[in-house]
Amino acid sequence: MHSNSNLLIITGMKIEEMISSSIHAAIKDLYGQDIPEKMVQLQKTKSTFEGNLTLVVFPFTKISHQKPEDTAQMIGEYLQKNCKAVAQFNVVKGFLNLTIAPAAWIGLLNDIHADDTFGETAATEDSPLVMIEYSSPNTNKPLHLGHVRNNLLGWSLSQIMAANGNKVIKTNIVNDRGIHICKSMLAWLKWGNGETPESSGKKGDHLIGDYYVAFDKHYKAECDELKKQYIAEGMDEEKAEEKAKNEAPLIKEAHAMLVKWEHNDPEVRALWKKMNAWVYAGFDETYKALGVSFDKIYYESNTYLEGKKKVEEGLKKGLFFKKDDGSVWADLTKDGLDQKLLLRSDGTSVYMTQDIGTAEMRFHDYPIDKMIYVVGNEQNYHFQVLSILLDRLGFKWGKELVHFSYGMVELPNGKMKSREGTVVDADDLIAEMIQDARKTSDELGKFKDMSEEEKNEIARIVGLGALKYFILKVDARKNMLFNPAESIDFNGNTGPFIQYTHARIRSILRKADAEGTHIPASLPDDAPLNEKEIDLIQKMNEFAAAVTEAGQNYNPAGIANYCYELTKDFNQFYHDYSILSADTEAQKVTRLVLAKNVAKIIKNGMALLGIEVPERM
């Protein structure tokens, strides 16, 4: 059946199908001709005209041999008589404006009411398998604000792809080896005095991060000393700086440690395992607080050897080349790019090598149809290269990989200082958001008659909802400014505004229940409806299109903005009409069914963003 994307957004497929098939019947009965499906063009009626749907009549004039107005009049009369979905019509030049019958809107509301996951599609055995990689932390420091955006986007994208009928595997690649890890290990050996997360009272990831900072401080001091010495020996400043960076004793020690690690030195490996275990325990706490998780975690320490193997195979096949110093490179000049290092001269691998190895392992583990990498836009070039290399190495999915590239996130200066004063720590941010939510809710008197436990739980839900919504409502491709104060507002385009509306509806439903009003499984065809109520049914029905679009464009912001629009429309309706004190019992029941389904769609839509909605607030 032909469908117009605008149309899907405003009316139920069932209404559209009914009218569309009636138009086919009208042309056959009136003019004795079958028409191709694509000839029926229905679109949303312009707000300046009366009606819900408009049929473009011009294509039928060749068949009717009549003026557009007369053709429209005849089809309109036929539909009013023979199609239950059409209540009335009017003709404006060659356009037939149709008003949908209230019973058809009630039918659509009943369909929404009967379906707990309205607008979402469940995966089947034959559904494509989509793997989504996100988070990708380094084990030398805690997660920061950039990771928060990454994790929230990755999790939300996973929910949205699943709601579009895909099988989804959520995966993480942990960068648990390399020179940055050796820096933390070396600093801990030199200045740690055996300190542990238990003895220091610090989370493991924060403890290790402190040693990474300590390494950097001492290394900079060594570089400055050497640079002065080289300049005194007559070297120019730029060369002196470059040489100092390579010759500083600390960096040489770190490189020596990396080589030992790669040669499986038992002492280095034991220390590495111990320190990484501290970090993973810390990461797990942060992931849990953020409400994200993974189906499978890969570790660079396992994948880099696979990558080296693949690169060496490519070298034998003449896909890559070796330089005089023994380093291995890919020449991408024919693809309009430059040369890319794949193995250093000492045989150690780089990120690209690891990504090739990880891809090899993943596709060995799962029959993946689509691979999506959630990684910041500073890595656009990396993924352009990875796609070419995977394709060159014979991975059939190489060309098709999706780099879900997102912009940077920053805070207004001075709002929230982290330990180092530069990067905003994820744990600090989460704690502060929950604290702010608690304070704001207290001030607004939202916490009446609640136990301490309930207040804390609602502060957690609201604080995290504010954080997640503020980040996800922005188009992921754009850089953004996260403003904690703006995000915790119970009015406007915020998480708490939507959460509060959900809680308000749930409260209305509880009152109705206490008063003994029963919500039926379906409404009768003649249930009363006014224009605002019809608008709400139309808006609820748009959820299906919003889910589809968010999946096609990899865009959580579309869902966030839909939830806001629906919430706004409901609040406007609730401002104009009473639910519990409606004029008649029939009106009251219709409005309760409407409210119940608005709450359901808000809850399901927010769940696609990884946001919880409370039952009361």
Side-chain angles (χ1 to χ4, degrees), residues 206-218:
H206 292 157
L207 180 69
I208 302 305
D210 291 346
Y211 284 102
Y212 185 68
V213 173
F215 177 94
D216 208 41
K217 193 177 78 181
H218 288 278

Side-chain angles (χ1 to χ4, degrees), residues 13-245:
M13 261 313 283
K14 289 187 177 164
I15 294 175
E16 179 199 346
E17 280 173 7
M18 256 168 144
I19 293 174
S20 196
S21 84
S22 294
I23 292 165
H24 280 81
I27 304 299
K28 176 91 171 149
D29 288 359
L30 294 170
Y31 310 115
Q33 208 163 323
D34 285 316
I35 53 166
E37 282 180 10
K38 64 171 185 276
M39 258 182 100
V40 176
Q41 292 175 34
L42 285 162
Q43 53 203 11
K44 187 172 179 176
T45 303
K46 287 182 178 156
S47 57
T48 42
F49 298 111
E50 192 189 332
N52 305 111
L53 288 179
T54 297
L55 174 69
V56 184
V57 174
F58 298 105
F60 306 122
T61 53
K62 287 184 185 139
I63 300 168
S64 70
H65 307 297
Q66 291 172 317
K67 287 193 294 200
E69 289 89 333
D70 297 340
T71 308
Q73 184 66 30
M74 280 185 80
I75 297 171
E77 284 169 8
Y78 181 97
L79 292 177
Q80 194 169 14
K81 199 167 148 193
N82 297 291
C83 179
K84 270 192 207 159
V86 176
Q88 53 199 63
F89 71 93
N90 65 80
V91 176
V92 180
K93 294 181 177 158
F95 298 96
L96 171 62
N97 301 322
L98 305 170
T99 299
I100 307 300
W105 291 123
I106 291 293
L108 176 55
L109 178 57
N110 282 335
D111 288 346
I112 294 171
H113 185 42
D115 185 354
D116 287 342
T117 55
F118 170 76
E120 300 181 31
T121 307
T124 65
E125 275 303 299
D126 305 324
S127 293
L129 179 69
V130 179
M131 180 177 271
I132 301 178
E133 174 194 293
Y134 59 97
S135 203
S136 316
N138 291 334
T139 58
N140 63 325
K141 51 188 176 219
L143 303 176
H144 55 66
L145 180 57
H147 288 115
V148 170
R149 190 179 199 188
N150 179 304
N151 279 287
L152 298 182
L153 286 169
W155 177 264
S156 180
L157 203 54
S158 305
Q159 307 310 305
I160 289 166
M161 295 309 281
N164 276 286
N166 297 288
K167 290 185 269 195
V168 174
I169 300 280
K170 303 184 296 295
T171 181
N172 185 357
I173 173 76
V174 179
N175 301 304
D176 65 340
R177 61 166 286 282
I179 192 68
H180 52 290
I181 312 293
C182 290
K183 288 175 181 178
S184 293
M185 286 161 63
L186 191 61
W188 185 84
L189 278 179
K190 285 182 176 298
W191 307 295
N193 300 317
E195 187 179 28
T196 67
E198 290 75 26
S199 73
S200 64
K202 287 179 187 168
K203 269 177 91 226
D205 49 338
H206 292 157
L207 180 69
I208 302 305
D210 291 346
Y211 284 102
Y212 185 68
V213 173
F215 177 94
D216 208 41
K217 193 177 78 181
H218 288 278
Y219 172 54
K220 276 189 181 136
E222 285 186 352
C223 289
D224 290 345
E225 281 302 308
L226 284 173
K227 184 177 160 186
K228 276 183 210 154
Q229 183 189 316
Y230 297 147
I231 290 170
E233 288 167 9
M235 203 180 273
D236 79 52
E237 190 169 340
E238 205 174 312
K239 277 191 182 148
E241 185 162 340
E242 196 51 42
K243 190 176 178 187
K245 279 181 181 170

